[in-house]
Amino acid sequence: MPPRHLSTSRLCIQCLRNPPPLRLSQTRPFSTHPRALLPQSTTAPHNPLDPIARHRLETQTRAYYTRRSYYAAGGAALCMFATLVLISTYELPTKPEQCDAPPRRDSSLERGAALVGGVSGGAEVRIAGAGTARSTQEEVEQVPTGTTSVPFFPKTLSLPGSASSTSPALPVGTGDADQPYQLVGLGIRTVSFLSIQVYVVGLYIATADIATLQARLVRAAAGTESASTLVAGEKDELRQALLDPQRSEEVWNGVLKDGGIRSVLRIVPTRNTDFAHLRDGWVRGITARSQRPASGERFEDEGFGEAVGKFKALFGRGGVGKGKALMLERKGDGALGAWVEGEKGGWDRMGEVSDERVGRLVWLGYLGGKKVASEGARRSVVEGVMGFVERPVGTVETQVV
């Protein structure tokens, strides 16, 4: 073996026995991650501002601000709804009068005006003689209404006479000022699913006509003209009939159609209300009931159309302030008259409709049918008239509600 070959073999053996140490920079930690086992990519790093990524970023930003706009609109609508609920539910306290302020004098009493049933908010009701002022004042008992806007209704009232009106067009003798009217029942008119209160309505019957109303209800329940009182079963049947959607309209239509019963609907708004709002509700009721009359009578003649037009004209302009009273009078012959309480005291007569069918249909809108203006008022009136029929015919002069 040549010497050069021998020296080369020795060097190889020494390298195998003593390998040279590795540098730290040449070492690489062993990783078991799948990506570490794959060959390194030679492509350039991903650019975050490429067209596809920029489009996605714009889409996400637009969706973010769209959601924020939806949330803002929902919050604004919720705030408006909460404000409406608070306004319709709670009343702001009135400004208290100063203790050192001089007492205010009632100018309407100095003019001899008869303040009957029209005092704001159901306050003390005073009756003074028509045309003469009296120092003595008769306090009328008050009945709670169930709302703070109009807390009380007078238990009795009298229609304003000719001297109590501020309207120069009032004819002499219009208004039965000497006839007291007795409260039968009352309730609150509400609208929408929020039960927003619109006005308080009460039905009054002339004291002298209570016996007539009593007799007609007794005969309608007993089914005979000679009946003068009802037994326990007939009373329950009459109550159910007056609350039934169909039978109630038939019973009240027969009671009101014959006339001879003077009555008044006293309406006091819980907020300022214009005549057009009240008129539209009454006209809708008149139209609906005239198209499906309970007794089979017809309302297609020209006279009825003219009467409805005249009724609309009564409530053409103006309105009723909060706490002020509007009274609809139904006379013995069925004619309908309207009175409104003035802002400065006294009463203004708005006019009259002679066709008894108009007033009868307006009254039925509160007393009979499937849908009435105030269910609470209907039930209250039913309980009131049931107190009448508990006694024999002709023995009831006044009835405490």
Side-chain angles (χ1 to χ4, degrees):
M1 181 177 293
R4 181 178 298 178
H5 180 71
L6 182 61
S7 60
T8 302
S9 300
R10 292 176 178 177
L11 291 175
C12 291
I13 294 172
Q14 292 179 0
C15 290
L16 293 174
R17 291 178 177 178
N18 299 317
L22 297 176
R23 296 180 181 179
L24 184 61
S25 61
Q26 296 178 351
T27 62
R28 183 178 179 182
F30 181 76
S31 175
T32 60
H33 195 277
R35 291 184 179 180
L37 301 178
L38 297 176
Q40 296 292 330
S41 175
T42 58
T43 59
H46 179 68
N47 182 9
L49 298 180
D50 62 2
I52 298 179
R54 188 166 58 250
H55 176 71
R56 292 176 179 174
L57 179 62
E58 292 176 355
T59 303
Q60 294 176 358
T61 304
R62 185 164 52 252
Y64 169 75
Y65 285 108
T66 301
R67 287 194 302 270
R68 290 195 60 179
S69 64
Y70 290 159
Y71 295 154
L78 183 60
C79 291
M80 294 176 62
F81 177 78
T83 303
L84 179 62
V85 172
L86 291 176
I87 292 176
S88 60
T89 304
Y90 299 98
E91 293 291 337
L92 295 177
T94 58
K95 183 178 180 181
E97 296 182 358
Q98 298 180 359
C99 296
D100 56 350
R104 294 181 299 178
R105 301 181 62 186
D106 195 342
S107 59
S108 60
L109 287 179
E110 296 178 359
R111 296 192 306 266
L115 300 181
V116 287
V119 181
S120 301
E124 177 186 356
V125 179
R126 301 184 296 275
I127 303 178
T132 59
R134 297 192 314 184
S135 58
T136 59
Q137 299 173 356
E138 302 177 11
E139 296 184 2
V140 177
E141 185 179 354
Q142 302 294 303
V143 178
T145 62
T147 176
T148 57
S149 302
V150 185
F152 301 103
F153 255 40
K155 179 165 288 189
T156 59
L157 59 79
S158 297
L159 290 177
S162 58
S164 66
S165 175
T166 59
S167 174
L170 179 68
V172 177
T174 303
D176 193 357
D178 297 330
Q179 174 59 51
Y181 285 74
Q182 175 74 38
L183 178 63
V184 181
L186 56 82
I188 304 173
R189 160 72 169 167
T190 59
V191 294
S192 81
F193 67 96
L194 297 176
S195 297
I196 300 177
Q197 298 178 355
V198 181
Y199 57 78
V200 182
V201 57
L203 176 65
Y204 292 80
I205 300 295
T207 305
D209 298 336
I210 292 180
T212 304
L213 174 63
Q214 179 190 17
R216 292 181 184 177
L217 290 174
V218 168
R219 293 164 186 168
T224 175
E225 294 294 329
S226 60
S228 60
T229 186
L230 297 178
V231 297
E234 293 174 338
K235 294 178 183 178
D236 295 337
E237 184 179 354
L238 177 60
R239 177 183 281 106
Q240 295 177 3
L242 294 178
L243 295 175
D244 184 76
Q246 182 176 359
R247 297 173 61 192
S248 61
E249 189 167 355
E250 296 175 356
V251 173
W252 283 114
N253 186 74
V255 170
L256 298 172
K257 185 177 180 180
D258 294 337
I261 299 177
R262 292 164 293 177
S263 57
V264 171
L265 284 176
R266 182 176 186 265
I267 298 170
V268 181
T270 59
R271 61 191 69 248
N272 295 337
T273 305
D274 56 1
F275 288 145
H277 176 74
L278 299 172
R279 177 198 62 200
D280 293 344
W282 292 326
V283 171
R284 284 195 298 267
I286 292 174
T287 304
R289 284 174 170 79
S290 62
Q291 293 176 351
R292 47 173 181 79
S295 59
E297 60 181 321
R298 303 179 64 86
F299 294 88
E300 300 175 355
D301 58 287
E302 184 178 353
F304 179 73
E306 294 177 354
V308 174
K310 189 175 182 179
F311 176 77
K312 294 180 181 179
L314 294 182
F315 305 95
R317 296 181 180 179
V320 190
K322 176 182 177 180
K324 299 296 181 179
L326 171 67
M327 292 198 297
L328 300 181
E329 169 197 7
R330 194 164 191 267
K331 298 182 178 181
D333 59 357
L336 184 144
W339 301 79
V340 63
E341 183 183 6
E343 294 294 334
K344 298 182 180 180
W347 293 83
D348 291 329
R349 182 170 176 82
M350 304 173 62
E352 182 177 303
V353 179
S354 58
D355 194 328
E356 66 87 19
R357 292 175 293 182
V358 175
R360 172 156 48 101
L361 294 179
V362 172
W363 260 239
L364 288 177
Y366 293 93
L367 300 176
K370 182 178 181 180
K371 185 177 181 181
V372 292
S374 172
E375 184 63 31
R378 169 159 67 174
R379 294 184 176 275
S380 179
V381 170
V382 170
E383 294 302 321
V385 298
M386 291 306 300
F388 294 157
V389 299
E390 289 178 353
R391 300 181 181 183
V393 174
T395 61
V396 178
E397 294 182 358
T398 58
Q399 178 69 31
V400 179
V401 180

